[in-house]
Structures are given as C-alpha cells and as structure tokens.
Amino acid sequence: MATIEELMSANLLEVFNERDGERRRAAIRRTYAPDVQFSDPDEIVVGHDALDAKAQNILDRAPGFVFTPAGAVYVNHDLGYLTWNFGPAGQPPVVRGVDIALVRDGLIRSVYTLLLTD
C-alpha cells in the first residue's frame, strides 16, 4: 500500500505532470479511488476519466510547462499537503499552488487544489 507521501508525489508528477496519456491513466488507477473528487477554483470533477481529462486539459493549455514540488509532503493522519510550482522548465514558476488530499485505504479519495498569490 502506498504512503501518503508517495500518493501526493504521484498526484503531482505521475498524473498532472505526465503528458503520455497511457502512463497517466495507469498512474490514476493506482493512485485514486474510482470515485475520486478533484476540486480546484474552476470546477469539481469526479472519477478517473474526468480526472484524466482535467490533467490533459491543463497540460494542453501550457505546452512546455512542468509541475515541480515546492517542498516536502506534510501528513496529518489521513491528509496530505504538498506545495508546487508550474511554469516553463528551468524558469521561475508562473503559477504556485497547494494540493490537499484525503486518503483512505491507500488511495486518494479527494483532492483540493488552491492557487497561491503573492
């Protein structure tokens, strides 16, 4: 069973940073509950297919951009917290944010993404 730290890393790097659809969908299956709920300032999506489409849409709108962790994963019982940066590879980030995930039975059940502003 994956740790919360491993799940948070997979959420950022193997799902939202993965441009290969096959690899991303495999990561989704091993990282999230089938009825996962993903919430960001724009919308709420539910389920593996909707999450895959959400990640693809973000990546399609930002060619050459990459997600990178901006610190360690913090854990509080069944919650994971990870800050991240998003921008052109090797450049200062264009967007900064945080993901907060609820984990049960070794899978992410819900993810909340907040965008950080200076």
Side-chain angles (χ1 to χ4, degrees):
M1 187 177 315
T3 66
I4 292 175
E5 292 89 350
E6 291 167 337
L7 292 169
M8 296 301 293
S9 179
N11 172 69
L12 184 67
L13 301 176
E14 297 176 34
V15 175
F16 282 91
N17 208 42
E18 180 56 66
R19 293 185 181 276
D20 180 275
E22 246 179 76
R23 286 196 302 254
R24 183 179 52 250
R25 285 185 290 279
I28 287 171
R29 286 189 300 274
R30 69 175 172 269
T31 304
Y32 307 95
D35 60 347
V36 62
Q37 179 176 302
F38 175 89
S39 304
D40 70 7
D42 294 329
E43 65 183 337
I44 296 171
V45 300
V46 178
H48 285 181
D49 291 343
L51 186 68
D52 178 43
K54 178 71 175 184
Q56 186 66 56
N57 184 34
I58 290 168
L59 294 169
D60 286 348
R61 291 188 341 230
F65 279 36
V66 295
F67 282 98
T68 55
V73 174
Y74 295 94
V75 176
N76 182 349
H77 302 283
D78 58 353
L79 288 175
Y81 174 98
L82 176 63
T83 55
W84 48 261
N85 296 319
F86 187 57
Q91 301 290 323
V94 174
V95 178
R96 296 179 317 113
V98 60
D99 290 332
I100 303 165
L102 175 64
V103 176
R104 288 216 175 88
D105 302 322
L107 295 171
I108 295 176
R109 300 293 174 173
S110 58
V111 181
Y112 295 87
T113 293
L114 306 171
L115 301 180
L116 303 176
T117 59
D118 294 327

